[in-house]
Amino acid sequence: MTTAFVLGGGGVLGAAEVGMLRALLEHGVRPDLVLGTSIGAINGALVAQDPTPGVVDRLTALWVSAAQTRDVYGDRPLRSVRRALSTGTHVYSSRPLKQRLVDELGETTFADLPVRFQVCAASIERAAEHWFDAGPVVDAVVASAAVPGLLPPAKVGDEHYLDGGIVNSVPLGRAVALGASKIYVLQVGRIDRPLKVPTQPWQVARVSFEIARRHRFVREMAELPEGVEAHVLPAAGTSDRDDSIFAFRDFASVEARISATYDAARAYLDQHP
């Protein structure tokens, strides 16, 4: 049996995945394969490097530190405006994110990891889904987390990449294609909330993206081959407030979200051993 952890995208809501990982690892569930997209690539990289309960403390400290320092999306407003005007493509620098990853992972390559790990990003030049499975892990994760408009496109080799959520936000089908027979889906709670008709310009883009990401996930769930078992772990502590235009900077509820989702995931696993 091949057990896969599929960690989806979702920005700051990705803290919920830490609670899920704690519940899984405490229940003795260990992955043979880890797949990550966007924030899921960040969380996934650490668990692929250290698939033990101890990684939860590392992840929690990383998230709490991000909440306290606000360095990833924490530039002064004037500096952000200047960067947006000068580049025309992004508001924030990717350097703080990359430095945090280097602090955690150093020069680790995919081959160094004890658990097979793959990261999804969107190739600009090929207009295609791309899976990193070799080379430096940090470069791949930065590419997967390059949120359009917020962070610059990431160059790896001769190509440029944007956030993997554009092409495969919850990569369930990838796990199936790689031979997983038992899959745990770590999602951030958005797929549980009904969509509302947009009333503001920025909501149009968000709703459009949500339709695309949910449609693919629902289709892949319906198309699971016989003999493949998928568990979609519940996320807790999310609400409609998390869909606001500035929600990507709201780290205030990180610890509460981790704790609430841990309780929900633990209860689920107790019922689905």
Side-chain angles (χ1 to χ4, degrees):
M1 176 183 291
T2 297
T3 298
F5 288 3
V6 172
L7 293 93
V12 70
L13 299 182
E17 295 175 352
V18 180
M20 295 174 187
L21 287 169
R22 178 184 172 192
L24 284 165
L25 296 171
E26 286 184 356
H27 274 74
V29 182
R30 299 292 187 273
D32 304 299
L33 169 67
V34 176
L35 302 176
T37 294
S38 195
I39 194 63
I42 296 174
N43 292 331
L46 269 70
V47 77
Q49 184 192 50
D50 179 15
T52 71
V55 76
V56 174
D57 290 337
R58 288 177 61 197
L59 280 166
T60 301
L62 184 64
W63 276 92
V64 171
S65 175
Q68 292 172 341
T69 61
R70 300 179 62 85
D71 57 351
V72 176
Y73 295 137
D75 275 350
R76 295 172 181 171
L78 183 57
R79 180 179 296 176
S80 298
V81 171
R82 286 175 175 169
R83 183 179 291 111
L85 292 174
S86 64
T87 66
T89 60
H90 58 278
V91 177
Y92 300 104
S93 168
S94 60
R95 285 193 295 272
L97 171 61
K98 185 169 185 177
Q99 185 57 56
R100 281 185 171 273
L101 292 171
V102 169
D103 291 343
E104 291 291 337
L105 300 165
E107 298 180 359
T108 300
T109 68
F110 284 85
D112 296 328
L113 298 171
V115 176
R116 187 181 183 190
F117 179 49
Q118 293 192 5
V119 170
C120 181
S123 167
I124 294 176
E125 284 84 357
R126 289 180 290 114
E129 178 178 322
H130 178 83
W131 283 92
F132 289 96
D133 59 2
V137 172
V138 168
D139 289 347
V141 172
V142 170
S144 182
V147 181
L150 295 183
L151 296 175
K155 186 177 182 181
V156 182
D158 295 328
E159 290 190 52
H160 297 81
Y161 298 90
L162 288 173
D163 196 296
I166 297 170
V167 288
N168 200 340
S169 187
V170 187
L172 174 65
R174 180 71 175 182
V176 174
L178 292 176
S181 51
K182 192 168 189 177
I183 303 169
Y184 291 92
V185 178
L186 287 72
Q187 53 83 35
V188 302
R190 283 180 175 155
I191 61 174
D192 302 328
R193 296 202 301 276
L195 290 175
K196 298 178 182 179
V197 176
T199 58
Q200 300 292 330
W202 66 267
Q203 293 175 342
V204 175
R206 186 190 68 80
V207 169
S208 299
F209 175 72
E210 285 296 322
I211 290 171
R213 75 194 295 267
R214 297 184 194 191
H215 169 76
R216 178 168 184 169
F217 175 69
V218 170
R219 186 190 69 217
E220 291 182 347
M221 281 291 292
E223 293 174 350
L224 283 176
E226 184 176 353
V228 175
E229 182 180 334
H231 296 273
V232 182
L233 298 181
T238 66
S239 68
D240 290 343
R241 186 189 68 178
D242 299 312
D243 297 328
S244 74
I245 192 170
F246 295 113
F248 69 92
R249 296 185 60 180
D250 182 11
F251 285 84
S253 303
V254 160
E255 292 179 274
R257 188 169 286 134
I258 292 173
S259 178
T261 300
Y262 164 69
D263 291 339
R266 182 181 61 179
Y268 176 91
L269 293 170
D270 287 342
Q271 296 174 7
H272 303 83

